């Protein structure tokens, strides 16, 4: 079975919000739209977004690290938001595992949002129906697009390629390999929701060098003795 | 969670309606067993059912305002009857109208005085249509209590609600307000059942005080499973949110926060402790001594206001794990 998902590399994300704006641009004018704003240029603005980039500070100053954290629907393999829906508007696609809302069936009761621990569903204040990330379902399934454009808008927009997209059930997909090789993890694993989206952790690259690897064992400058007279090649000078 | 008044009114109104219906049926069963004097079908049972039905329909009206748009009630809400296999909300949407119909039939049967026994059990218990409808209605009422409460108790992320105590409390509070209302209704219509219903109301109130007290105690000591560490998957003892990603509000900052201080919450808690448990019991006790008509009615009015506060507190005390992601604007 196919399970499409995103893999977000926190080691690469710089928090530029390009995924946020491209998501809104694509989806507000597409199948899932409109994503309406309230008072966008006034006090107390508000609006519907499928994707947010948050910032967290880890550690105490001066040993701190900033984590830019993009957050959207994780397309859980056990989505708790789907069975609670009274009208059947919330569903998980059988063919590719994307969790979607049928906006013509939704009654805006918000129960699915209560049943999501990640807070990724947002009620549209104008249409009064629940909205959420569709993984750009109208892009990724559009056979008229060239194949390299059949990807979510956020993935195409990311300038640092922090977002990978693919089938996490296919062990050979780029997404699966990234999860496997780079310690990909799921959010809030304690609830058993099995999010399909994975995150790659922040990671440091260090090389290990010992002091004796930096200096020749017979470096004459370290010896407190008169410099030895030239006696021909030393062992280090010989090449065989 | 943000307490929505539509849901607060829905759950308290139908709770009182269900409790009143069950009180009427209890009275009928008692009089069948010759423990109470039989009451008039039309003025007591039919009128009482009418009051219960008014409460239930008012609850349904309140529920309509919980939908995204009230017009969805006409255009889309019928779909809510389809997902009863998985959704407790769908089950409630089926049980509530079914129960209203049963109350209508029960009241109607009493109104046209269908009290001729259909059959007699063991030569002693005459079973008439009203009794049959009353028993079926009471079962449906219990189903509705469970469905309503399980909407909250089944959400495992809201650990304050995810407990059998939620179901017990919804049921007991419904019975408490229903039996108090039955006492008030008896007093108002001059029926000598004020003491009977009042006694049961006090008994249920005591039980509700115990189970609600236990729920408050449990929720005060609850250990939340999700932390900022598991929320973003960074293993460190010190993590602070610096930005939630936007400066204005959003659905997530409105729906999941009650926005009141701890002091306000404490005030509301003690307010409902006084108005749900202490004052109504005192008023019902006093009415028993003074044989007053107005004290049971006052007891119900005070208790209903208290139950609104109790339900408000029920929502406010639940803390959703998504709030971990929405702690700092910038």
């Amino acid at each position: 079975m196919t399970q499409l998902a995103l893999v977000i590399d926190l080691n690469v994300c710089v928090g530029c919000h390009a995924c946020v704006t491209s998501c809104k641009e694509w989806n507000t004018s597409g199948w899932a739209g409109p994503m309406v704003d309230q008072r966008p240029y006034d006090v107390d603005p508000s609006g519907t977004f499928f994707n947010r980039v948050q910032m967290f500070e880890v550690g105490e100053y001066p040993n701190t690290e900033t984590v830019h954290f993009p957050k959207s629907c994780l397309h859980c393999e056990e989505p708790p938001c789907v069975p609670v829906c009274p009208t059947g508007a919330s569903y998980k696609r059988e063919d590719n595992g994307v969790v979607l809302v049928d906006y013509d069936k939704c009654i805006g009761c918000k129960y699915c949002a209560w049943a999501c621990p990640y807070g990724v569903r947002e009620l549209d204040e104008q249409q009064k129906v629940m909205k959420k990330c569709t993984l750009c379902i109208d892009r990724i399934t559009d056979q008229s697009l060239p194949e390299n454009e059949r990807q979510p808008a956020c993935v195409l927009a990311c300038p640092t390629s922090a977002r990978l997209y693919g089938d996490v059930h296919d062990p050979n997909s780029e997404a699966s390999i990234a999860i496997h090789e780079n310690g990909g993890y799921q959010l809030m694993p304690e609830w058993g929701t099995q999010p399909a989206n994975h995150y790659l952790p922040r990671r440091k690259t260090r090389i290990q060098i010992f002091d004796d690897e930096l200096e020749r064992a017979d470096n004459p400058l370290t010896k407190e003795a008169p410099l030895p007279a030239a006696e021909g090649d030393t062992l280090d000078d010989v090449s065989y | 969670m943000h307490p929505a008044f539509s849901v607060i009114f829905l759950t308290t109104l139908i709770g009182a309606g269900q409790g009143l219906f069950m009180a009427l049926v209890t009275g009928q069963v008692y009089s069948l067993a010759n423990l109470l004097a039989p009451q008039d079908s039309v003025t007591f049972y039919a009128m009482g059912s009418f009051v219960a039905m008014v409460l239930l329909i008012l609850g349904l009206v309140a529920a309509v305002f919980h939908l995204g748009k009230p017009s969805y009630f006409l255009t889309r809400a019928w779909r809510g009857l389809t997902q009863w296999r998985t959704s407790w909300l769908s089950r409630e949407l089926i049980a509530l109208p079914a129960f209203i119909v049963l109350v209508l039939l029960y009241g109607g049967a009493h109104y046209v005085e269908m009290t001729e026994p259909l059959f007699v059990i063991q030569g002693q218990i005459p079973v008439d249509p009203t009794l049959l409808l009353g028993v079926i209605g009471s079962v449906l009422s219990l189903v509705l209590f469970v469905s309503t409460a399980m909407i909250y108790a089944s959400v495992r992320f809201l650990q304050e609600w995810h407990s059998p105590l939620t179901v017990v409390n919804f049921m007991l509070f419904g019975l408490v307000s229903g039996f108090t209302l039955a006492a008030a209704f008896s007093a108002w219509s001059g029926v000598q059942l004020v003491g009977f219903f009042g006694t049961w109301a006090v008994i249920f109130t005591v039980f509700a005080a115990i189970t609600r007290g236990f729920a408050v105690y449990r929720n005060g000591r609850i250990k939340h499973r999700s932390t900022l560490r598991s929320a973003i998957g960074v293993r460190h003892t010190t993590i602070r949110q610096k930005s939630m990603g936007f400066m204005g509000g959003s659905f997530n900052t409105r729906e999941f926060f009650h926005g009141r201080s701890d002091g306000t919450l404490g005030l509301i808690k003690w307010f409902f402790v006084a108005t749900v448990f202490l004052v109504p019991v005192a008023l019902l006790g006093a009415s028993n001594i003074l044989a007053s008509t107005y004290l049971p009615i006052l007891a119900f009015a005070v208790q209903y206001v208290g139950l609104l506060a109790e339900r408000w507190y029920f929502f406010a005390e639940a803390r959703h794990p998504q709030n971990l992601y929405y702690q700092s604007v910038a």
Side-chain angles (χ1 to χ4, degrees), chain A residues 55 57 59 83-84 106-107 111 114-115 119 127 185 190-191, chain B residues 68 72 76 86-87 151 225-226 230 232 238 240 242 252 320:
Chain A
M55 258 159 252
E57 185 181 77
V84 301
C106 177
I107 54 173
Y111 194 31
W114 294 6
Q127 273 184 295
Y185 62 88
E190 62 271 20
W191 297 114
Chain B
Y72 287 165
R76 299 180 175 190
T86 58
S87 171
I151 290 173
R225 286 174 77 180
S226 288
S230 72
I232 68 169
T238 313
R240 276 183 304 271
K242 286 290 169 185
N252 305 78
H320 199 286

PDB file of all heavy atoms in Angstrom, chain A residues 55 57 59 83-84 106-107 111 114-115 119 127 185 190-191, chain B residues 68 72 76 86-87 151 225-226 230 232 238 240 242 252 320:
ATOM      1  N   MET A  55       9.228  28.273  15.918  1.00  0.00           N
ATOM      2  CA  MET A  55      10.620  28.338  16.353  1.00  0.00           C
ATOM      3  C   MET A  55      10.733  27.965  17.816  1.00  0.00           C
ATOM      4  O   MET A  55       9.966  28.444  18.657  1.00  0.00           O
ATOM      5  CB  MET A  55      11.173  29.732  16.117  1.00  0.00           C
ATOM      6  CG  MET A  55      12.039  29.807  14.889  1.00  0.00           C
ATOM      7  SD  MET A  55      12.173  31.480  14.319  1.00  0.00           S
ATOM      8  CE  MET A  55      11.169  31.410  12.860  1.00  0.00           C
ATOM      9  N   GLU A  57      13.597  27.301  21.088  1.00  0.00           N
ATOM     10  CA  GLU A  57      14.956  27.479  21.575  1.00  0.00           C
ATOM     11  C   GLU A  57      15.266  26.317  22.512  1.00  0.00           C
ATOM     12  O   GLU A  57      14.520  26.061  23.452  1.00  0.00           O
ATOM     13  CB  GLU A  57      15.082  28.812  22.323  1.00  0.00           C
ATOM     14  CG  GLU A  57      16.493  29.118  22.760  1.00  0.00           C
ATOM     15  CD  GLU A  57      16.566  30.435  23.522  1.00  0.00           C
ATOM     16  OE1 GLU A  57      16.181  30.448  24.701  1.00  0.00           O
ATOM     17  OE2 GLU A  57      16.986  31.430  22.933  1.00  0.00           O
ATOM     18  N   GLY A  59      17.939  24.603  25.116  1.00  0.00           N
ATOM     19  CA  GLY A  59      19.102  24.835  25.961  1.00  0.00           C
ATOM     20  C   GLY A  59      19.076  26.201  26.620  1.00  0.00           C
ATOM     21  O   GLY A  59      18.178  27.009  26.395  1.00  0.00           O
ATOM     22  N   PRO A  83     -12.207   8.506  12.505  1.00  0.00           N
ATOM     23  CA  PRO A  83     -13.382   7.768  13.005  1.00  0.00           C
ATOM     24  C   PRO A  83     -14.357   8.615  13.806  1.00  0.00           C
ATOM     25  O   PRO A  83     -15.531   8.244  13.919  1.00  0.00           O
ATOM     26  CB  PRO A  83     -12.767   6.659  13.867  1.00  0.00           C
ATOM     27  CG  PRO A  83     -11.398   7.107  14.182  1.00  0.00           C
ATOM     28  CD  PRO A  83     -10.946   7.953  13.042  1.00  0.00           C
ATOM     29  N   VAL A  84     -13.906   9.746  14.376  1.00  0.00           N
ATOM     30  CA  VAL A  84     -14.811  10.539  15.205  1.00  0.00           C
ATOM     31  C   VAL A  84     -15.780  11.394  14.387  1.00  0.00           C
ATOM     32  O   VAL A  84     -16.783  11.868  14.917  1.00  0.00           O
ATOM     33  CB  VAL A  84     -14.044  11.456  16.182  1.00  0.00           C
ATOM     34  CG1 VAL A  84     -13.163  10.638  17.103  1.00  0.00           C
ATOM     35  CG2 VAL A  84     -13.230  12.489  15.428  1.00  0.00           C
ATOM     36  N   CYS A 106     -18.796  18.339   5.477  1.00  0.00           N
ATOM     37  CA  CYS A 106     -18.411  18.798   6.810  1.00  0.00           C
ATOM     38  C   CYS A 106     -19.477  19.738   7.381  1.00  0.00           C
ATOM     39  O   CYS A 106     -19.978  20.624   6.691  1.00  0.00           O
ATOM     40  CB  CYS A 106     -17.067  19.522   6.745  1.00  0.00           C
ATOM     41  SG  CYS A 106     -16.543  20.199   8.328  1.00  0.00           S
ATOM     42  N   ILE A 107     -19.821  19.538   8.673  1.00  0.00           N
ATOM     43  CA  ILE A 107     -20.794  20.416   9.318  1.00  0.00           C
ATOM     44  C   ILE A 107     -20.120  21.395  10.283  1.00  0.00           C
ATOM     45  O   ILE A 107     -20.789  22.122  11.013  1.00  0.00           O
ATOM     46  CB  ILE A 107     -21.883  19.621  10.074  1.00  0.00           C
ATOM     47  CG1 ILE A 107     -21.249  18.641  11.062  1.00  0.00           C
ATOM     48  CG2 ILE A 107     -22.783  18.886   9.090  1.00  0.00           C
ATOM     49  CD1 ILE A 107     -22.255  17.946  11.972  1.00  0.00           C
ATOM     50  N   TYR A 111     -15.172  18.506  15.985  1.00  0.00           N
ATOM     51  CA  TYR A 111     -14.835  17.344  16.815  1.00  0.00           C
ATOM     52  C   TYR A 111     -13.516  16.718  16.366  1.00  0.00           C
ATOM     53  O   TYR A 111     -12.730  16.250  17.184  1.00  0.00           O
ATOM     54  CB  TYR A 111     -15.978  16.332  16.751  1.00  0.00           C
ATOM     55  CG  TYR A 111     -15.928  15.248  17.793  1.00  0.00           C
ATOM     56  CD1 TYR A 111     -15.370  15.471  19.049  1.00  0.00           C
ATOM     57  CD2 TYR A 111     -16.450  13.991  17.528  1.00  0.00           C
ATOM     58  CE1 TYR A 111     -15.342  14.476  20.001  1.00  0.00           C
ATOM     59  CE2 TYR A 111     -16.415  12.986  18.484  1.00  0.00           C
ATOM     60  CZ  TYR A 111     -15.862  13.235  19.721  1.00  0.00           C
ATOM     61  OH  TYR A 111     -15.832  12.231  20.650  1.00  0.00           O
ATOM     62  N   TRP A 114     -10.571  18.403  17.923  1.00  0.00           N
ATOM     63  CA  TRP A 114     -10.358  17.967  19.302  1.00  0.00           C
ATOM     64  C   TRP A 114      -9.618  16.636  19.324  1.00  0.00           C
ATOM     65  O   TRP A 114      -8.862  16.360  20.242  1.00  0.00           O
ATOM     66  CB  TRP A 114     -11.684  17.765  20.033  1.00  0.00           C
ATOM     67  CG  TRP A 114     -12.493  19.006  20.247  1.00  0.00           C
ATOM     68  CD1 TRP A 114     -12.225  20.257  19.764  1.00  0.00           C
ATOM     69  CD2 TRP A 114     -13.699  19.106  21.005  1.00  0.00           C
ATOM     70  NE1 TRP A 114     -13.198  21.119  20.171  1.00  0.00           N
ATOM     71  CE2 TRP A 114     -14.113  20.447  20.925  1.00  0.00           C
ATOM     72  CE3 TRP A 114     -14.457  18.197  21.734  1.00  0.00           C
ATOM     73  CZ2 TRP A 114     -15.264  20.889  21.571  1.00  0.00           C
ATOM     74  CZ3 TRP A 114     -15.603  18.631  22.372  1.00  0.00           C
ATOM     75  CH2 TRP A 114     -15.997  19.974  22.293  1.00  0.00           C
ATOM     76  N   ALA A 115      -9.907  15.808  18.328  1.00  0.00           N
ATOM     77  CA  ALA A 115      -9.354  14.457  18.318  1.00  0.00           C
ATOM     78  C   ALA A 115      -7.994  14.400  17.640  1.00  0.00           C
ATOM     79  O   ALA A 115      -7.515  13.318  17.343  1.00  0.00           O
ATOM     80  CB  ALA A 115     -10.330  13.491  17.631  1.00  0.00           C
ATOM     81  N   GLY A 119      -2.866  19.543  16.556  1.00  0.00           N
ATOM     82  CA  GLY A 119      -3.391  20.879  16.277  1.00  0.00           C
ATOM     83  C   GLY A 119      -3.135  21.321  14.852  1.00  0.00           C
ATOM     84  O   GLY A 119      -2.695  22.439  14.615  1.00  0.00           O
ATOM     85  N   GLN A 127     -16.072  29.704   5.268  1.00  0.00           N
ATOM     86  CA  GLN A 127     -16.854  28.547   4.829  1.00  0.00           C
ATOM     87  C   GLN A 127     -17.416  27.750   5.992  1.00  0.00           C
ATOM     88  O   GLN A 127     -18.332  26.952   5.819  1.00  0.00           O
ATOM     89  CB  GLN A 127     -15.977  27.635   3.982  1.00  0.00           C
ATOM     90  CG  GLN A 127     -15.943  27.991   2.505  1.00  0.00           C
ATOM     91  CD  GLN A 127     -15.131  26.964   1.747  1.00  0.00           C
ATOM     92  OE1 GLN A 127     -13.928  26.842   1.963  1.00  0.00           O
ATOM     93  NE2 GLN A 127     -15.776  26.224   0.869  1.00  0.00           N
ATOM     94  N   TYR A 185      12.159  10.456  12.809  1.00  0.00           N
ATOM     95  CA  TYR A 185      11.282  10.099  13.930  1.00  0.00           C
ATOM     96  C   TYR A 185       9.895  10.687  13.722  1.00  0.00           C
ATOM     97  O   TYR A 185       9.687  11.554  12.865  1.00  0.00           O
ATOM     98  CB  TYR A 185      11.878  10.582  15.261  1.00  0.00           C
ATOM     99  CG  TYR A 185      12.040  12.077  15.365  1.00  0.00           C
ATOM    100  CD1 TYR A 185      11.001  12.885  15.833  1.00  0.00           C
ATOM    101  CD2 TYR A 185      13.224  12.691  14.976  1.00  0.00           C
ATOM    102  CE1 TYR A 185      11.142  14.254  15.919  1.00  0.00           C
ATOM    103  CE2 TYR A 185      13.370  14.066  15.051  1.00  0.00           C
ATOM    104  CZ  TYR A 185      12.331  14.846  15.528  1.00  0.00           C
ATOM    105  OH  TYR A 185      12.469  16.199  15.599  1.00  0.00           O
ATOM    106  N   GLU A 190       3.798   8.684  21.643  1.00  0.00           N
ATOM    107  CA  GLU A 190       3.088   8.080  22.778  1.00  0.00           C
ATOM    108  C   GLU A 190       1.612   7.818  22.515  1.00  0.00           C
ATOM    109  O   GLU A 190       0.968   7.070  23.235  1.00  0.00           O
ATOM    110  CB  GLU A 190       3.244   8.956  24.025  1.00  0.00           C
ATOM    111  CG  GLU A 190       2.660  10.361  23.939  1.00  0.00           C
ATOM    112  CD  GLU A 190       3.652  11.377  23.384  1.00  0.00           C
ATOM    113  OE1 GLU A 190       4.624  10.974  22.724  1.00  0.00           O
ATOM    114  OE2 GLU A 190       3.435  12.590  23.606  1.00  0.00           O
ATOM    115  N   TRP A 191       1.053   8.432  21.474  1.00  0.00           N
ATOM    116  CA  TRP A 191      -0.379   8.253  21.227  1.00  0.00           C
ATOM    117  C   TRP A 191      -0.675   7.135  20.238  1.00  0.00           C
ATOM    118  O   TRP A 191      -1.849   6.829  19.985  1.00  0.00           O
ATOM    119  CB  TRP A 191      -1.004   9.557  20.711  1.00  0.00           C
ATOM    120  CG  TRP A 191      -0.921  10.683  21.694  1.00  0.00           C
ATOM    121  CD1 TRP A 191      -0.200  11.824  21.552  1.00  0.00           C
ATOM    122  CD2 TRP A 191      -1.582  10.784  22.964  1.00  0.00           C
ATOM    123  NE1 TRP A 191      -0.359  12.622  22.655  1.00  0.00           N
ATOM    124  CE2 TRP A 191      -1.197  12.020  23.527  1.00  0.00           C
ATOM    125  CE3 TRP A 191      -2.452   9.948  23.663  1.00  0.00           C
ATOM    126  CZ2 TRP A 191      -1.659  12.421  24.774  1.00  0.00           C
ATOM    127  CZ3 TRP A 191      -2.904  10.373  24.895  1.00  0.00           C
ATOM    128  CH2 TRP A 191      -2.516  11.582  25.441  1.00  0.00           C
TER     129      TRP A 191
ATOM    130  N   GLY B  68     -21.010  24.664  12.174  1.00  0.00           N
ATOM    131  CA  GLY B  68     -20.310  25.783  11.557  1.00  0.00           C
ATOM    132  C   GLY B  68     -21.279  26.883  11.181  1.00  0.00           C
ATOM    133  O   GLY B  68     -21.108  28.044  11.537  1.00  0.00           O
ATOM    134  N   TYR B  72     -26.398  24.398   8.180  1.00  0.00           N
ATOM    135  CA  TYR B  72     -25.919  23.024   7.971  1.00  0.00           C
ATOM    136  C   TYR B  72     -26.858  22.010   8.620  1.00  0.00           C
ATOM    137  O   TYR B  72     -26.862  20.843   8.258  1.00  0.00           O
ATOM    138  CB  TYR B  72     -24.517  22.845   8.552  1.00  0.00           C
ATOM    139  CG  TYR B  72     -23.420  23.525   7.760  1.00  0.00           C
ATOM    140  CD1 TYR B  72     -22.170  23.712   8.317  1.00  0.00           C
ATOM    141  CD2 TYR B  72     -23.634  23.950   6.456  1.00  0.00           C
ATOM    142  CE1 TYR B  72     -21.157  24.333   7.609  1.00  0.00           C
ATOM    143  CE2 TYR B  72     -22.635  24.576   5.741  1.00  0.00           C
ATOM    144  CZ  TYR B  72     -21.403  24.768   6.317  1.00  0.00           C
ATOM    145  OH  TYR B  72     -20.403  25.380   5.609  1.00  0.00           O
ATOM    146  N   ARG B  76     -26.927  19.525   5.850  1.00  0.00           N
ATOM    147  CA  ARG B  76     -25.857  18.530   5.967  1.00  0.00           C
ATOM    148  C   ARG B  76     -25.966  17.618   7.182  1.00  0.00           C
ATOM    149  O   ARG B  76     -25.374  16.540   7.195  1.00  0.00           O
ATOM    150  CB  ARG B  76     -24.500  19.235   6.043  1.00  0.00           C
ATOM    151  CG  ARG B  76     -24.201  20.053   4.819  1.00  0.00           C
ATOM    152  CD  ARG B  76     -22.856  20.737   4.940  1.00  0.00           C
ATOM    153  NE  ARG B  76     -22.522  21.441   3.711  1.00  0.00           N
ATOM    154  CZ  ARG B  76     -21.353  21.961   3.444  1.00  0.00           C
ATOM    155  NH1 ARG B  76     -20.383  21.860   4.327  1.00  0.00           N
ATOM    156  NH2 ARG B  76     -21.121  22.569   2.306  1.00  0.00           N
ATOM    157  N   THR B  86     -18.544   4.265  14.172  1.00  0.00           N
ATOM    158  CA  THR B  86     -17.274   4.702  14.763  1.00  0.00           C
ATOM    159  C   THR B  86     -17.388   5.946  15.630  1.00  0.00           C
ATOM    160  O   THR B  86     -16.531   6.166  16.467  1.00  0.00           O
ATOM    161  CB  THR B  86     -16.244   5.019  13.658  1.00  0.00           C
ATOM    162  OG1 THR B  86     -16.788   6.030  12.806  1.00  0.00           O
ATOM    163  CG2 THR B  86     -15.921   3.789  12.827  1.00  0.00           C
ATOM    164  N   SER B  87     -18.413   6.766  15.430  1.00  0.00           N
ATOM    165  CA  SER B  87     -18.413   8.081  16.065  1.00  0.00           C
ATOM    166  C   SER B  87     -19.485   8.185  17.148  1.00  0.00           C
ATOM    167  O   SER B  87     -20.676   7.999  16.880  1.00  0.00           O
ATOM    168  CB  SER B  87     -18.638   9.161  15.006  1.00  0.00           C
ATOM    169  OG  SER B  87     -18.833  10.403  15.625  1.00  0.00           O
ATOM    170  N   ILE B 151     -18.715  11.179  23.877  1.00  0.00           N
ATOM    171  CA  ILE B 151     -18.132  12.139  22.934  1.00  0.00           C
ATOM    172  C   ILE B 151     -16.885  12.749  23.567  1.00  0.00           C
ATOM    173  O   ILE B 151     -15.849  12.905  22.920  1.00  0.00           O
ATOM    174  CB  ILE B 151     -19.156  13.247  22.597  1.00  0.00           C
ATOM    175  CG1 ILE B 151     -20.279  12.675  21.750  1.00  0.00           C
ATOM    176  CG2 ILE B 151     -18.475  14.411  21.888  1.00  0.00           C
ATOM    177  CD1 ILE B 151     -21.407  13.658  21.516  1.00  0.00           C
ATOM    178  N   ARG B 225       0.712  13.091  29.139  1.00  0.00           N
ATOM    179  CA  ARG B 225       1.624  12.183  28.446  1.00  0.00           C
ATOM    180  C   ARG B 225       2.525  12.931  27.488  1.00  0.00           C
ATOM    181  O   ARG B 225       3.664  12.546  27.285  1.00  0.00           O
ATOM    182  CB  ARG B 225       0.810  11.134  27.675  1.00  0.00           C
ATOM    183  CG  ARG B 225       0.206  10.094  28.582  1.00  0.00           C
ATOM    184  CD  ARG B 225      -0.697   9.161  27.821  1.00  0.00           C
ATOM    185  NE  ARG B 225       0.055   8.172  27.057  1.00  0.00           N
ATOM    186  CZ  ARG B 225      -0.507   7.248  26.305  1.00  0.00           C
ATOM    187  NH1 ARG B 225      -1.810   7.190  26.223  1.00  0.00           N
ATOM    188  NH2 ARG B 225       0.223   6.386  25.637  1.00  0.00           N
ATOM    189  N   SER B 226       1.996  13.978  26.847  1.00  0.00           N
ATOM    190  CA  SER B 226       2.795  14.693  25.857  1.00  0.00           C
ATOM    191  C   SER B 226       3.550  15.841  26.516  1.00  0.00           C
ATOM    192  O   SER B 226       3.027  16.519  27.395  1.00  0.00           O
ATOM    193  CB  SER B 226       1.892  15.240  24.753  1.00  0.00           C
ATOM    194  OG  SER B 226       1.438  14.180  23.963  1.00  0.00           O
ATOM    195  N   SER B 230       8.360  15.472  23.365  1.00  0.00           N
ATOM    196  CA  SER B 230       7.766  14.538  22.405  1.00  0.00           C
ATOM    197  C   SER B 230       7.056  15.289  21.289  1.00  0.00           C
ATOM    198  O   SER B 230       6.883  14.765  20.193  1.00  0.00           O
ATOM    199  CB  SER B 230       6.799  13.584  23.113  1.00  0.00           C
ATOM    200  OG  SER B 230       5.625  14.246  23.493  1.00  0.00           O
ATOM    201  N   ILE B 232       8.078  18.039  19.660  1.00  0.00           N
ATOM    202  CA  ILE B 232       8.958  18.372  18.542  1.00  0.00           C
ATOM    203  C   ILE B 232      10.083  17.353  18.382  1.00  0.00           C
ATOM    204  O   ILE B 232      10.869  17.436  17.449  1.00  0.00           O
ATOM    205  CB  ILE B 232       9.536  19.808  18.651  1.00  0.00           C
ATOM    206  CG1 ILE B 232      10.504  19.925  19.824  1.00  0.00           C
ATOM    207  CG2 ILE B 232       8.424  20.828  18.774  1.00  0.00           C
ATOM    208  CD1 ILE B 232      11.286  21.231  19.794  1.00  0.00           C
ATOM    209  N   THR B 238      15.581  21.582  28.526  1.00  0.00           N
ATOM    210  CA  THR B 238      15.130  22.978  28.415  1.00  0.00           C
ATOM    211  C   THR B 238      14.739  23.272  26.969  1.00  0.00           C
ATOM    212  O   THR B 238      15.605  23.388  26.100  1.00  0.00           O
ATOM    213  CB  THR B 238      16.246  23.941  28.848  1.00  0.00           C
ATOM    214  OG1 THR B 238      16.794  23.472  30.076  1.00  0.00           O
ATOM    215  CG2 THR B 238      15.709  25.338  29.016  1.00  0.00           C
ATOM    216  N   ARG B 240      12.064  25.944  24.884  1.00  0.00           N
ATOM    217  CA  ARG B 240      11.077  27.014  24.963  1.00  0.00           C
ATOM    218  C   ARG B 240      10.614  27.354  23.571  1.00  0.00           C
ATOM    219  O   ARG B 240      11.425  27.392  22.636  1.00  0.00           O
ATOM    220  CB  ARG B 240      11.688  28.266  25.596  1.00  0.00           C
ATOM    221  CG  ARG B 240      11.698  28.288  27.101  1.00  0.00           C
ATOM    222  CD  ARG B 240      12.257  29.607  27.599  1.00  0.00           C
ATOM    223  NE  ARG B 240      13.585  29.842  27.034  1.00  0.00           N
ATOM    224  CZ  ARG B 240      14.711  29.433  27.593  1.00  0.00           C
ATOM    225  NH1 ARG B 240      14.672  28.782  28.729  1.00  0.00           N
ATOM    226  NH2 ARG B 240      15.879  29.683  27.019  1.00  0.00           N
ATOM    227  N   LYS B 242       9.734  30.006  20.908  1.00  0.00           N
ATOM    228  CA  LYS B 242      10.012  31.415  20.701  1.00  0.00           C
ATOM    229  C   LYS B 242       8.988  32.040  19.760  1.00  0.00           C
ATOM    230  O   LYS B 242       8.750  33.244  19.807  1.00  0.00           O
ATOM    231  CB  LYS B 242      11.420  31.586  20.117  1.00  0.00           C
ATOM    232  CG  LYS B 242      12.512  31.352  21.131  1.00  0.00           C
ATOM    233  CD  LYS B 242      12.534  32.478  22.157  1.00  0.00           C
ATOM    234  CE  LYS B 242      13.437  32.120  23.333  1.00  0.00           C
ATOM    235  NZ  LYS B 242      13.383  33.140  24.375  1.00  0.00           N
ATOM    236  N   ASN B 252      -6.425  27.596  16.218  1.00  0.00           N
ATOM    237  CA  ASN B 252      -5.760  26.837  17.275  1.00  0.00           C
ATOM    238  C   ASN B 252      -5.602  27.633  18.560  1.00  0.00           C
ATOM    239  O   ASN B 252      -5.576  27.066  19.643  1.00  0.00           O
ATOM    240  CB  ASN B 252      -4.373  26.397  16.805  1.00  0.00           C
ATOM    241  CG  ASN B 252      -4.461  25.619  15.520  1.00  0.00           C
ATOM    242  OD1 ASN B 252      -4.625  26.196  14.464  1.00  0.00           O
ATOM    243  ND2 ASN B 252      -4.378  24.317  15.608  1.00  0.00           N
ATOM    244  N   HIS B 320      -5.476  20.507  26.155  1.00  0.00           N
ATOM    245  CA  HIS B 320      -5.224  19.732  24.937  1.00  0.00           C
ATOM    246  C   HIS B 320      -3.735  19.724  24.608  1.00  0.00           C
ATOM    247  O   HIS B 320      -3.074  20.764  24.728  1.00  0.00           O
ATOM    248  CB  HIS B 320      -6.008  20.364  23.782  1.00  0.00           C
ATOM    249  CG  HIS B 320      -6.211  19.449  22.630  1.00  0.00           C
ATOM    250  ND1 HIS B 320      -5.186  19.135  21.772  1.00  0.00           N
ATOM    251  CD2 HIS B 320      -7.294  18.760  22.199  1.00  0.00           C
ATOM    252  CE1 HIS B 320      -5.654  18.297  20.849  1.00  0.00           C
ATOM    253  NE2 HIS B 320      -6.934  18.051  21.091  1.00  0.00           N
TER     254      HIS B 320
END
